[in-house]
Each structure stands twice: as structure tokens, then as C-alpha cells.
Amino acid sequence: MSSPTRYPHIFSPLDLGFTRLKNRILMGSMHTGLEEAPNGFVRQAEFFAERARGGVGMIITGGIPPNSEAGRGSKLSTPEEAEQHRIVTETVHAADPDVKICMQILHPGPLAGTPDCVAPSAIKSRIGRYVPNELDEAGIEKQLSDFANCAALARFAGYDGVEIIGSAGYLLSTFLVEKTNRRTDQWGGSFENRMRFPVEVVRRVREAVGPDFIVIFRIAAMDMLEGGMAWDEIVTLGKAVEAAGVTIVSTHFCWHEAQVPTIATMVPRAAFTQVTGRLRKELGVPLITSNRINMPDVAEAVLARGDADLVSMARPMLADPDLVRKAAEGREDEINTCIACNQACLDHTFTGRMTSCLVNPRACYETELVYAPVEKPKRIAVVGAGPAGLAYAVVAAERGHKVTLYEAGSEIGGQFNLARRIPGKEEFVETLRYYRRMIDVRGIELRLNTRADADALKAQGYDEVVVATGIAPRKPEIEGIDHPKVVGYIDAILGRKPIGNRVAIMGAGGIGFDVAELITHAGTSAALDVDVFAREWGIDFVNHPRGGVTGVTPHVESSGREVTLLQRKTDAVGKTLGRTTGWTHRMTLLKRGVQMINGVEYLKIDDEGLHTLVGGQPRLFEVDTIIVCAGQLPLRDLYDELENDGVKASLVGGAFEAVELDAKRAIDHASKLAALA
Ligand code: NAP
Ligand code: SF4
């Protein structure tokens, strides 16, 4: 089936007067780390060209600073620096001349990570490294002319436009709110004065680039800050940047310091587009919306509702560069969907590592991790259909190998089947759907309910056997560990054993937190209902108070269970969780009254409960149930047997290394091995 009929709004071109966008989906800006990497321009060129070939209408690059006060790494302020960008623009235009590529000009202001950083007032951001230097009049003039110069150089480098980021706690937005702008001159005080700098940036940029160049302004349509922008200020700013010459306004729902999740997996799909819809009624230029729009049907519905003229997808383009093309060809069931986990993208970005993607380890490694067709296909058996086995099987089969996938259970997925049951992690269902479909598309022979043993595999005469048998939960050696009060995490998550009202969870890693979420949860998952989500995080979509947040302690439903999360380490509980999402999990559980205790020594379990020492002092947790979430051990008996029998075998995923193994490492490891098979 041809899909332009299924997605009439997505595939309707947008006329911008001097140019045209071929469809309504753009790849949103993401700082990937390629900007500063060795050979970074060549790698960016291939990264973006792959997305251009994948059908997207417009691409916004990662943020490029206009001067050294905005960051030292990848600035664009000279013609020589502009020349380096040419490979990016030329490669993208060669991949598809109809795809537009715009460069984001990012001035982080107080978040620039350099002692030279600047801001309207010398107020340190909670997450910034330095107190910024307060700009004087000459400094403001310099920043304005650097923006204009950067935009002109972007045009010189072959870009079709620029995006100016005016949100997120970066320089322009720090002028907009009183919290970060205490000036009393013409750049501070009234809102008219506070918006003067961002509006003047737009005016100067337009002047520098001429009328036939795309200028996008990213506005904080809800900045999630108490005391943030009021709705009438947002509308006033939108109208002012429109009058100053922007082509498109892009709505953003973010301020990096704000304590409301806006893109994590517990945020419902398209939760914020209603705000864009409201702003769209006030402005004449096209509007872009974003946040948790990860599949074409979601994008189509947003456009059909009239919430926006264009939909920005950022992380979904890491997960699947061909998303738009697959939608156009009616192959949406082959889309590798972004599950909003942040584990390989934002968690990497915020810890100084190269961005990639949990479900697509090729993201940002396009020139290095290549799935080349094989000349001599082999017969390969993959044993175990968890994340590692699935990834290996699909990549090996894509390259042309003949793959048989064995799974002892009745369904594919392994640990994904646990994750998808956790409220807020419903997106994992999409990953399972993707793999199910790719098993068919790639012609993989799937044998469910089949425990492959060494003799049988040997008898089949495979060229290679890949052991992806996964893990077994660790059973700590504690007196009373077999007591009826003790439940393993798999039984707890699958609901195979009853869980009492007073619970101790032994182990506070990712799975301990998941189990705590599951057993304290009540009612509809916030990830599936925008109203529940808004209530849980204190967002008021109806009245839109300043920042969009009520400031009232949010209401979180609870099952009423008394739960204590324990760990032996003396580190803060939850420290090992993802950088960008761990705080949301901790906050939710704390609101439900979950106690978190570190420095625990487990002594014994008996009818009374769990006996421990906490900080050296005896403490009894009088609980009905103790759920063990104490990590895993590799399951590799099959591998040992194959080795003994002289069968060529390799280990992937948890069977290879169980310590701190998660789906990200399992898929990455398996895909890299399969690329070499
Ligand atoms: P984990 O993160 O390694 O945590 C294991 C927990 O068990 C730790 O809290 C550890 O803390 C405790 N532990 C280890 N050995 C123990 C023993 N002998 N006796 C008692 N306690 C022991 O493993 P996991 O929670 O099973 O998760 C597995 C992997 O999946 C991890 O890599 C995790 O990051 C990942 N995952 C991630 C998410 C996510 O949302 N990002 C969700 C689920 C799982 P102490 O040693 O201090 O007691
Ligand atoms: Fe999406 Fe997770 Fe991939 Fe990031 S790592 S792009 S959130 S699936």
C-alpha cells in the first residue's frame, strides 16, 4: 500500500514562499558529539545523509556556537570554519536535493562550560559550571553581531537555513525570565525589554542572510520553570520574532534545570502538542511541534488535529534513519521505534560520551559500524531470543547469512518482556514488534519452545553457533534466602507470586527501581494518559500558569504498599540509574513514600522479616515479602558444552558478561559481532 494516502498530512509539501519542504517531518537538533569528534565533519555528513536518504523533509544539525564565549569546541565564526561544514551540506544535498538542512546556532549562555561564558546577569545555573560574566552594552552588541556573522557563514557553507535556539536555559532564554535576568537597563525589567535581545538576534540574522533563507526560532512554549514565561509573554515573543523575520517558529518544552520530565519514557506520546496548537492560532508563520512523537501515525494525528504545521522527530531518527521512507512505503511495522529510554543518546551526551541509540547502535557510527553484504553466506544458529540474540540474528540475516533462531520460551524478547510490564516502559512493546517483523522480513527461521542442546546443534552442522542464552538472577547467600517470604524479581514482575503489603527490595539497581515502580503503582500509567501525567508532575495545560507548572506538590497515585529499597553500597540510592532519567524515577518513588536505604548488611531472613545492620546498627525490616533484585550471573552451560564438543561458538549479551549488562550493551555487542560474522 502506498502511504501518502494513509498519511496525507505528513506527505503534503509546505510552501515557504522562496522554497518548499517536501513533507512535514523534520529531524530535530541533537548535539551528538560528532561535532567535536576527530573526522567529525565526515561522520556528520554520513550521519545526516543517511537520514536524508531515509525520507525526512528537513534536517536541523546539532548546536553550533557562534563564538568562543558560547563554547570552544565546534564554533562557527570564520570563513575557514565554514569551509569545514561544506562536506555536510554537499553530502546531504547529493543524497537528496529536495532535503533541506539547517544549522542550529546554539549559544548556551551560562551553560557554556567555559569561564568566559556570558549571561544577562551573573547568576550561576544550578547545572552550570561557572558563574557567567554579566554582559555590558558592548558585550551585548558583540553577541548580536556574532549571531549575524554565524548565520551568514552558515549560508556561505551551503546550509538552507539556521535555527536559533531561544529556549532551554540557553543565552536567549535567560534574557526572557526574571529568574535569570535582573537587569535594569533596556535589556531587562519589563517583558518588552527582556525579549529585546532574542528579537534583535532574529532581526540581525535575517538582515545578514537575506530574505530567501530559512530562519527558525525555537521558543519555550512551556519552560516548566516556576516563575518562567507566562502565556501572554510567549504569544508576544512569538509575534515579535515573526515581525523580525522568522520563517518558522519551533516550540520547545524544556529548561534544562526544570524538574519535570518532557521527553523521557514516562511522558505520553505527543503530550505537549496541544500547546503548539494554541500558539499556532496566534501566529501567521508555520509552527513546529515536538516531544515524544515517535511513530508516523502519531505525527499524522498531530498534524490532522491542526496542532502544528511540521513535526520534529529527533531521537526517532537515531533509532531508525528510514522512518519516513518506511511510512511512505507502507512499511511502518518495520520501523525501529525510539522507546524514549535516553540510555544511549542523552545519557551519553550529558556524560561526555558520543551519542548513539539503544535500539540502533549504528547511530552516529555510520562510517564505522557497517552491515556489509556477505559474499559467502554461512548457516548460523543463534540460541536465545532476548535482546542480544535478536540483534545478532537480524544483523547477520540482513548481511545475507542463513540464520536459525532458537528460543526455549514461547515468545521472543527475553528481558524486554519484563521491561514492557513496568508502568512507564510500555514503549518496549514496539521493540518486540520490530524484531518480530524483522524475523519475517529477513527470512530468519524461528524455533520457539525449543531448547537447543549441544548434540542437536552439532548434528545440524551449523557453520557457527552464537550463544545468547542470557542470564540467571543472582541468589545471594544469606541465611533464609529460601524462606517463603522471598520472591525473585522475575516472579514479582510476571505476577507469578503474591506480593504482600510491606515489602523490602534487596538491590537498588535498574531492576530494583523497576520492581518498586511496579508494586507501588496504582491506576492508569501516566505514560498512557496526558491528564494523569500532568497531575503527577504539576503541569497545567488548561490555564498555563508561568512556566506551565502549578508549583503545587504533584499528586501521585500509590498502591498503598510500604516499600523499602535497600542496597549495600553507601552511595546514594539510584546513583547507577541513567543520568537524564534517574531523578524522575527517584522522585516518583519518593512521592509514593518508598524509603531508600544504603549501607545495608543483610544478616538473615526468617518469619519476622529481614534482619540487617544499617550503618553498623541492627535493624529488622518487618515485611511480608522480600523481593531479590541482586543482579545477574551469565548462563553459559551450552557454550561450555559446545566448546568441549569442538563446535565453533561465540557468546553474546548476558551470557558473555552479565555485570551491569543492559539492553543497550547487549544489542551493541551483538550487532558489532554480527557485522563481522
Ligand atoms: P544492577 O544495576 O547491577 O543492580 C544490582 C543490585 O543488586 C545493586 O543494587 C547491588 O547493590 C545489588 N547486589 C549485587 N550483588 C548482590 C548480592 N550478592 N547480594 C545482595 N545485593 C547485591 O543490576 P539490575 O538491577 O539487575 O539491572 C541489570 C541491568 O539492567 C543493569 O545494567 C541496569 O542498569 C539495567 N537496567 C536498567 C534500567 C533502566 O531503567 N535504565 C532498568 C532495569 C535494568 P549492592 O551491591 O550495593 O547491594
Ligand atoms: Fe530513543 Fe533510547 Fe535510542 Fe535514545 S537511546 S534514541 S531514547 S531508543
Side-chain angles (χ1 to χ4, degrees), residues 314-548:
R315 297 172 301 168
M317 296 291 162
L318 293 177
D320 195 332
D322 295 324
L323 184 149
V324 180
R325 187 157 55 83
K326 287 177 180 173
E329 293 171 1
R331 295 191 291 129
E332 44 282 275
D333 55 356
E334 292 178 32
I335 291 172
N336 198 2
T337 306
C338 167
I339 55 173
C341 64
N342 284 0
Q343 279 176 249
C345 53
L346 284 163
D347 284 349
H348 279 208
T349 313
F350 282 91
T351 48
R353 290 173 287 168
M354 179 70 72
T355 292
S356 191
C357 173
L358 180 145
V359 299
N360 173 25
R362 285 198 69 244
C364 299
Y365 292 89
E366 287 74 13
T367 55
E368 295 169 19
L369 181 56
V370 179
Y371 303 152
V374 286
E375 281 174 16
K376 286 191 187 160
K378 292 187 247 183
R379 286 180 64 240
I380 300 178
V382 179
V383 185
L390 288 166
Y392 191 101
V394 168
V395 173
E398 177 183 335
R399 297 186 56 221
H401 293 303
K402 179 93 192 80
V403 178
T404 306
L405 177 59
Y406 292 89
E407 168 56 46
S410 57
E411 56 183 351
I412 65 162
Q415 301 279 313
F416 280 152
N417 283 312
L418 300 181
R420 76 180 168 84
R421 290 178 159 83
I422 309 300
K425 294 198 167 178
E426 293 82 358
E427 291 284 1
F428 275 94
V429 169
E430 296 286 3
T431 309
L432 289 165
R433 181 263 310 143
Y434 166 75
Y435 278 120
R436 250 180 242 119
R437 179 71 187 128
M438 294 319 285
I439 285 170
D440 286 346
V441 170
R442 301 282 176 225
I444 295 165
E445 186 184 338
L446 174 64
R447 297 204 189 159
L448 292 172
N449 303 306
T450 309
R451 189 171 290 282
D453 63 43
D455 288 343
L457 290 167
K458 195 173 177 181
Q460 290 285 337
Y462 290 108
D463 298 312
E464 272 182 47
V465 177
V466 177
V467 179
T469 42
I471 50 87
R474 178 185 283 120
K475 190 171 165 184
E477 289 177 12
I478 300 167
E479 186 185 333
I481 193 71
D482 292 318
H483 191 280
K485 281 178 188 282
V486 179
V487 174
Y489 70 81
I490 297 178
D491 286 338
I493 294 175
L494 295 179
R496 291 199 286 216
K497 295 218 173 137
I499 308 295
N501 279 330
R502 296 168 307 159
V503 181
I505 298 176
M506 195 186 281
I511 291 181
F513 268 80
D514 275 358
V515 167
E517 168 66 37
L518 181 70
I519 65 172
T520 57
H521 183 87
T524 310
S525 169
L528 302 177
D529 187 315
V530 177
D531 293 336
V532 176
F533 168 71
R535 270 204 304 280
E536 283 201 356
W537 292 96
I539 303 167
D540 185 344
F541 283 113
V542 179
N543 301 304
H544 202 125
R546 282 194 176 275

